[in-house]
C-alpha cells in the first residue's frame, strides 16, 4: 500500500478505515455482523463525506439530516462512521469493546445509548418504516416553519432483509403516496441473506416494486465512488422518494467468503481477516488508523459546521423562535390543565352515556386546539377511532401543514412512522386502530417502548363489548399483553371524565408510549361530581366508598366500572359493605407510594372485574382473589348478550365477593 501520509487520501482509503475498524471490532467481540460494513463502506463514505448534513459537536441539531441504518445488524458501520467523524459518543475504546457491557457500541444501534444514532434498529424493516415518519415530520415542520428552519433529508441504508419484511411494503407505499421527496434509501443490493443467495427465497425486482409504489429508482455500482456521488446528486433533485440500488459485495475483500451467506456474520477468523487486510491494502495493526486518514475523516465531520452556524443565526432572528423551540423540546402549553378541567366539568354535569371512544374524540377536540404539535391519524378507521378533530386537516403532498394522516390499512407502518415523528422532534403523534390489531403493530410499539418515544396509540373496540364482529376482532389478551410491556402506560378509562384525565396524562408522558384502550359501547357516567384533581394520575383510586368498614374491595377498569358499581349497590342491599376502586392505569398505580396503594386496596378480600383475561391481576387481588372476566375467546352477538354469556355481570361479581366473606 502506498504511503498514506505522503499522498492525498482517497474515498477508498477512508472507506477502508471503516472496514478495518468494523472487522477488528467484530473479531475482538467474537460476535457481530461485518459483512454489511465491508460491503457498504464505499457508498457510506461518499454519503458522510459529501452529502450528509450533520455536526458531531451537536448530535441534536434540529435541522441535521437524519441517517438511519435500517439493517441494524451492520451496526459497526455506523459506529465506525460516528467515531471517525468526531462524535464524542463513540471512542476508540468503545470500538474495541463492541458488544460489551457499558460500551456505547451495542450489538444493534440504540438511540438511547449512542448519540448520533437516530433510532433503535434491530428487527429488520423497522428502520426504513421509522425513517418514513422522520421524513413526514420534516415535510410537516417545513410547511409550518419554512425553509430557514427546517430543510433536511432522511437517508436510509436498508438490506434485502429489511425489504422482505412486510412492514417495508406498508412504509414504502405510504412514502410514495405522500411523495416524500426528502427521503433517500440506499439499498444494499448484495443478493445475499444468511441462508445463502436471495434466490433461495425471493426474486422480487425491488426497483420495479419501489417504482410501482410511487418512488423513483436508480441502479448504482456501490463500490464506484463517482457513480455513488452522481446518484446521490441526482436523488436530491427528485420530487418523489428515491431508492438507489447499490450493487455491492457482502464481505468485500474476504478471500474465501465474500459474496456468500457466510459473509453476513462474524467473526471471520484470523486467516480471513488477514486476507481482507491484504486484499484492501490495509497493513496497519488492529484498531489503528493512519493519522492522515483520521484527519480526512475529522474534516468530513466538520463540513457542515458553517451551515450549522448560519442556521443558528436564522433561528435567533426568526419570529418563530419561541414556537419552534417549544415544538422541538416537546413543551406543552400551560393552559392544558385549565382547559381539561373545564371540559371535565361539562362532562360530569352532562351525565351522558357514551362510548369512551366518543369521549376520547371530545377530549382530542380540546387538546388538538391547544397543542399544534399533535398530529393524528388512523389506519382507515377514522370514524370508529374518533381521532380526527375540527383542528386537524389531512396531511397531503399539497398540504404538508395538515395534522391528520390517513394511514390506510397499515397498522404496523403507522406505529413505526409515529416513532419516527417523535424521534425527529417537533411532533406529538397519535393514531388509532382497533385494540385487537395491536398484534399487527406490536413490533413498532415495542421498539417505541424501548426507545421511550412520546406517542399515543388509540386502541378502540377494546373488549367483547364490540359485539357482532366476533372473536376475530374481540381482544381478550391484548390489555394484559400490553401491560406486560416495560415502559408502556395502558389507560382504560371508565367514562368521559376519566378519558379526559387519561389523555392529559398520555400527552404529558415524555418517557414512553401510551395506549388508550377505549370502548365501542356506551358506558354510564362513573364520575358525576367535578374535581380539579386528576384522580386518574395515581393509576387507581377509590371511586365509590362504603359506609363503615369495607368487607370487600371491587377493582375494575373501563366499561366494567359500571358493573362494579351495580354490584356494590346489590351487595349493599344484602348488608355487605364493598368499596369500588377504578383502575384506569395500573402502571401508574404501581409507581405510587406503598402507603397509598394500601389505602386504596384495603385489607378486605378483593375481586376484580375486566372483560379480558386474568393474567396480571393476581398482583392486585392475590392468588385467592376473585376475578370476573374472560378465560376464552369471545363470540359473535350483540354485546349485551355476550356479557351475559361469559358471565361478566354484576351478579357474578356479587357471587365472587360472597364466596370470600362467608
Amino acid at each position: 500500500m502506498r504511503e498514506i501520509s505522503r499522498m492525498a487520501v482517497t474515498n477508498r482509503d477512508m472507506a477502508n478505515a471503516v472496514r478495518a475498524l468494523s472487522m477488528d471490532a467484530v473479531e475482538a467481540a467474537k460476535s457481530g455482523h461485518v459483512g454489511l460494513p465491508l460491503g457498504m463502506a464505499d457508498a457510506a463514505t461518499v454519503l458522510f463525506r459529501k452529502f450528509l448534513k450533520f455536526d458531531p459537536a451537536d448530535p441534536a441539531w434540529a435541522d441535521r439530516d437524519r441517517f438511519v441504518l435500517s439493517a441494524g445488524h451492520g451496526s459497526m458501520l455506523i459506529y465506525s462512521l460516528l467515531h471517525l467523524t468526531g462524535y464524542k459518543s463513540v471512542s476508540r475504546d468503545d470500538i474495541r469493546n463492541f458488544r460489551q457491557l457499558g460500551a456505547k457500541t451495542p450489538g444493534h444501534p440504540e438511540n438511547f445509548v449512542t448519540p448520533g444514532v437516530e433510532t433503535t434498529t434491530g428487527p429488520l424493516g423497522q428502520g426504513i418504516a421509522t425513517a418514513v415518519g422522520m421524513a413526514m415530520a420534516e415535510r410537516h415542520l417545513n410547511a409550518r416553519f419554512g425553509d430557514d428552519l427546517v430543510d433536511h433529508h432522511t437517508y436510509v441504508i436498508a438490506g434485502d432483509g429489511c425489504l422482505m419484511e412486510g412492514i417495508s411494503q406498508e412504509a414504502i407505499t405510504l412514502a410514495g403516496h405522500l411523495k416524500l421527496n426528502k427521503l433517500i434509501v440506499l439499498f444494499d443490493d448484495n443478493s445475499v441473506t444468511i441462508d445463502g443467495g436471495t434466490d433461495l427465497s425471493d426474486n422480487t425486482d425491488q426497483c420495479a416494486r419501489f417504482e410501482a409504489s410511487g418512488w423513483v429508482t436508480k441502479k448504482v455500482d456501490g463500490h464506484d465512488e463517482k457513480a455513488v456521488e452522481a446518484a446521490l446528486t441526482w436523488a436530491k433533485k427528485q420530487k418523489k422518494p428515491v431508492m438507489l440500488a447499490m450493487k455491492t459485495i457482502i464481505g468485500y475483500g474476504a478471500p474465501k467468503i465474500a459474496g456468500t451467506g457466510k459473509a453476513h456474520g462474524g467473526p471471520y477468523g484470523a486467516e480471513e481477516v488477514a486476507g481482507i487486510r491484504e486484499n484492501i491494502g490495509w497493513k496497519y495493526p488492529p484498531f489503528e488508523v493512519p493519522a492522515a486518514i483520521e484527519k480526512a475523516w475529522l474534516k468530513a465531520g466538520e463540513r457542515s459546521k458553517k451551515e450549522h452556524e448560519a442556521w443558528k443565526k436564522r433561528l435567533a432572528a426568526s419570529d418563530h423562535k419561541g414556537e419552534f423551540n417549544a415544538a422541538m423540546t416537546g413543551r406543552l402549553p400551560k393552559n392544558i390543565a385549565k382547559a381539561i378541567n373545564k371540559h371535565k366539568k361539562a362532562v360530569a354535569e352532562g351525565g351522558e352515556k357514551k362510548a369512551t371512544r366518543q369521549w376520547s374524540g371530545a377530549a382530542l377536540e380540546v387538546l388538538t386546539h391547544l397543542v399544534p404539535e399533535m398530529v393524528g391519524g388512523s389506519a382507515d378507521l377514522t370514524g370508529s377511532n374518533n381521532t380526527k378533530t375540527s383542528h386537524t386537516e389531512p396531511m397531503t403532498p399539497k398540504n404538508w401543514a395538515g395534522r391528520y394522516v390517513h394511514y390506510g390499512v397499515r397498522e404496523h407502518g403507522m406505529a413505526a412512522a409515529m416513532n419516527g415523528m417523535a424521534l425527529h422532534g417537533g411532533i406529538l403523534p397519535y393514531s388509532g386502530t382497533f385494540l385487537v390489531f395491536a398484534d399487527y403493530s406490536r413490533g413498532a410499539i415495542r421498539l417505541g417502548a424501548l426507545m421511550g418515544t412520546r406517542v399515543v396509540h388509540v386502541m378502540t373496540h377494546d373488549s367483547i363489548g364490540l359485539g357482532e364482529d366476533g372473536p376475530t376482532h374481540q381482544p381478550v389478551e391484548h390489555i394484559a399483553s400490553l401491560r406486560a410491556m416495560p415502559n408502556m402506560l395502558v389507560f382504560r378509562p371508565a367514562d368521559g371524565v376519566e378519558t379526559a384525565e387519561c389523555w392529559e396524562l398520555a400527552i404529558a408522558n415524555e418517557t414512553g408510549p401510551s395506549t388508550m384502550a377505549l370502548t365501542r359501547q356506551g358506558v354510564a357516567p362513573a364520575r358525576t361530581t367535578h374535581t380539579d384533581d386528576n384522580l386518574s394520575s395515581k393509576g387507581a383510586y377509590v371511586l365509590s366508598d362504603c359506609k363503615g368498614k369495607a368487607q370487600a374491595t371491587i377493582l375494575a377498569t373501563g366499561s366494567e366500572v359500571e358493573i362494579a358499581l351495580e354490584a356494590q349497590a346489590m351487595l349493599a342491599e344484602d348488608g355487605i359493605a364493598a368499596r369500588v376502586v377504578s383502575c384506569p392505569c395500573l402502571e401508574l398505580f404501581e409507581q405510587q407510594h406503598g402507603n397509598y396503594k394500601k389505602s386504596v386496596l384495603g385489607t378486605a378480600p378483593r375481586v376484580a372485574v375486566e372483560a379480558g383475561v386474568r393474567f396480571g391481576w393476581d398482583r392486585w387481588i392475590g392468588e385467592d382473589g376473585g376475578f370476573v372476566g374472560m378465560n376464552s375467546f369471545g363470540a359473535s352477538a350483540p354485546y349485551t348478550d355476550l356479557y351475559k354469556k361469559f358471565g361478566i355481570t354484576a351478579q357474578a361479581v356479587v357471587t365472587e365477593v360472597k364466596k370470600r366473606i362467608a
Side-chain angles (χ1 to χ4, degrees):
M1 186 176 183
R2 58 197 171 77
E3 183 58 53
I4 293 292
S5 61
R6 295 182 181 179
M7 302 180 69
V9 174
T10 66
N11 194 85
R12 179 56 60 86
D13 294 329
M14 296 171 73
N16 285 342
V18 172
R19 291 186 170 103
L21 287 178
S22 298
M23 68 181 178
D24 291 343
V26 171
E27 286 302 306
K30 303 302 180 189
S31 171
H33 305 81
V34 74
L36 183 145
L38 290 173
M40 281 297 290
D42 294 315
T45 298
V46 173
L47 175 64
F48 272 69
R49 278 185 66 208
K50 296 187 176 183
F51 291 91
L52 196 71
K53 182 172 67 173
F54 67 105
D55 185 352
D58 184 6
W61 172 22
D63 200 37
R64 69 193 181 277
D65 287 340
R66 271 57 171 182
F67 171 71
V68 174
L69 181 62
S70 186
H73 54 274
S75 57
M76 269 312 307
L77 176 70
I78 191 169
Y79 298 147
S80 297
L81 290 166
L82 293 177
H83 171 66
L84 289 167
T85 52
Y87 282 82
K88 300 300 183 186
S89 54
V90 182
S91 67
R92 192 66 58 91
D93 282 342
D94 287 317
I95 299 288
R96 292 188 181 95
N97 291 308
F98 175 55
R99 289 191 162 212
Q100 305 308 302
L101 189 64
K104 299 294 185 182
T105 48
H108 290 80
E110 297 173 9
N111 67 308
F112 51 88
V113 170
T114 316
V117 170
E118 298 287 359
T119 181
T120 299
T121 52
L124 294 176
Q126 288 292 331
I128 188 172
T130 302
V132 169
M134 292 178 178
M136 291 169 67
E138 190 277 339
R139 290 288 78 198
H140 175 72
L141 294 171
N142 172 270
R144 181 179 175 189
F145 295 113
D147 290 345
D148 280 353
L149 299 184
V150 183
D151 186 14
H152 54 266
H153 284 76
T154 301
Y155 294 94
V156 183
I157 287 181
D160 284 292
C162 297
L163 302 190
M164 287 185 192
E165 289 287 358
I167 190 174
S168 73
Q169 182 66 13
E170 296 183 27
I172 68 171
T173 54
L174 179 62
H177 171 72
L178 293 174
K179 295 187 169 91
L180 296 175
N181 62 304
K182 293 297 188 77
L183 176 62
I184 299 174
V185 172
L186 284 68
F187 167 36
D188 182 17
D189 185 13
N190 57 40
S191 302
V192 170
T193 61
I194 294 174
D195 281 356
T198 52
D199 57 358
L200 287 171
S201 57
D202 190 46
N203 62 354
T204 302
D205 181 337
Q206 293 293 354
C207 286
R209 175 190 173 213
F210 273 76
E211 288 170 5
S213 301
W215 294 54
V216 290
T217 71
K218 187 181 286 287
K219 294 183 178 181
V220 188
D221 180 348
H223 298 300
D224 183 333
E225 171 193 356
K226 292 182 179 179
V228 172
E229 182 176 352
L232 286 169
T233 300
W234 170 83
K236 292 186 69 174
K237 298 175 182 178
Q238 303 309 302
K239 296 181 179 180
K240 295 181 179 181
V242 177
M243 189 273 268
L244 302 175
M246 300 280 176
K247 197 62 185 174
T248 62
I249 300 171
I250 190 170
Y252 181 91
K256 296 180 180 178
I257 62 174
T260 71
K262 291 182 179 179
H264 176 83
Y268 285 1
E271 182 180 346
E272 198 74 359
V273 167
I276 295 172
R277 277 183 150 76
E278 182 176 348
N279 286 340
I280 67 174
W282 193 263
K283 57 184 180 181
Y284 307 99
F287 302 107
E288 182 177 315
V289 177
I293 295 180
E294 285 194 333
K295 184 178 180 181
W297 266 118
L298 290 173
K299 183 178 180 181
E302 295 174 350
R303 181 174 48 81
S304 302
K305 283 189 178 296
K306 289 183 179 179
E307 195 166 356
H308 187 187
E309 290 301 318
W311 177 86
K312 287 193 287 187
K313 290 178 180 178
R314 293 197 300 272
L315 176 62
S318 174
D319 293 338
H320 299 296
K321 178 182 177 181
E323 186 183 358
F324 180 81
N325 286 335
M328 295 308 295
T329 58
R331 188 167 68 245
L332 295 174
K334 294 179 180 179
N335 57 345
I336 283 181
K338 182 178 179 180
I340 286 292
N341 274 323
K342 181 180 178 181
H343 172 68
K344 281 169 51 179
K345 189 172 188 296
V347 172
E349 292 175 351
E352 292 184 83
K353 181 174 182 175
K354 288 184 179 181
T356 55
R357 62 175 175 148
Q358 292 174 293
W359 287 125
S360 173
L364 280 170
E365 189 69 29
V366 174
L367 292 171
T368 55
H369 174 62
L370 295 174
V371 187
E373 290 74 39
M374 291 184 73
V375 173
S378 174
D380 201 47
L381 292 167
T382 296
S384 293
N385 300 150
N386 293 282
T387 44
K388 191 178 186 304
T389 75
S390 64
H391 311 292
T392 55
E393 291 299 314
M395 182 189 293
T396 69
K398 294 181 179 179
N399 180 27
W400 282 110
R403 295 168 53 202
Y404 193 81
V405 183
H406 289 284
Y407 283 101
V409 189
R410 299 183 178 98
E411 294 90 353
H412 201 179
M414 175 176 72
M418 285 206 298
N419 285 340
M421 291 180 190
L423 291 168
H424 179 281
I427 291 181
L428 202 171
Y430 70 92
S431 69
T433 186
F434 290 175
L435 178 58
V436 75
F437 300 139
D439 283 345
Y440 280 176
S441 53
R442 181 169 299 274
I445 294 174
R446 182 178 186 272
L447 273 187
L450 179 64
M451 293 186 286
T453 56
R454 188 186 194 179
V455 303
V456 183
H457 301 277
V458 178
M459 302 283 186
T460 68
H461 297 58
D462 68 345
S463 72
I464 59 169
L466 70 87
E468 293 84 350
D469 275 346
T472 60
H473 282 54
Q474 293 167 359
V476 293
E477 78 278 23
H478 296 72
I479 289 284
S481 67
L482 287 169
R483 285 177 181 152
M485 188 178 291
N487 200 35
M488 166 67 76
L489 294 183
V490 180
F491 294 99
R492 191 164 187 253
D495 66 358
V497 173
E498 278 195 2
T499 301
E501 291 182 338
C502 290
W503 262 112
E504 183 181 12
L505 296 167
I507 66 170
N509 178 23
E510 298 183 12
T511 59
S514 302
T515 294
M516 296 286 293
L518 305 167
T519 69
R520 174 182 185 259
Q521 76 274 26
V523 293
R527 300 255 295 274
T528 55
T529 302
H530 174 68
T531 173
D532 280 352
D533 292 338
N534 187 323
L535 301 183
S536 299
S537 65
K538 292 188 175 181
Y541 62 96
V542 178
L543 171 66
S544 179
D545 215 336
C546 58
K547 294 181 180 179
K549 185 177 181 179
Q551 295 170 267
T553 297
I554 305 170
L555 294 87
T557 75
S559 47
E560 286 69 67
V561 169
E562 182 177 350
I563 292 173
L565 290 169
E566 184 182 350
Q568 180 191 40
M570 293 169 64
L571 288 165
E573 290 179 0
D574 292 339
I576 299 172
R579 63 202 319 227
V580 172
V581 173
S582 180
C583 308
C585 183
L586 290 172
E587 295 78 27
L588 288 179
F589 188 47
E590 178 65 72
Q591 295 172 16
Q592 304 309 309
H593 191 279
N595 289 337
Y596 176 77
K597 287 185 278 192
K598 289 178 183 178
S599 72
V600 171
L601 296 172
T603 57
R606 302 167 197 163
V607 173
V609 53
E610 184 173 64
V613 296
R614 178 170 179 148
F615 188 85
W617 273 105
D618 285 359
R619 164 71 180 86
W620 306 109
I621 62 177
E623 291 183 7
D624 297 326
F627 182 75
V628 175
M630 298 293 293
N631 57 16
S632 68
F633 292 108
S636 177
Y639 82 91
T640 50
D641 294 341
L642 292 174
Y643 271 77
K644 292 175 184 176
K645 170 181 171 56
F646 292 104
I648 305 176
T649 64
Q651 183 57 58
V653 176
V654 168
T655 300
E656 289 297 316
V657 168
K658 289 183 175 180
K659 283 181 185 178
R660 285 160 178 80
I661 63 172

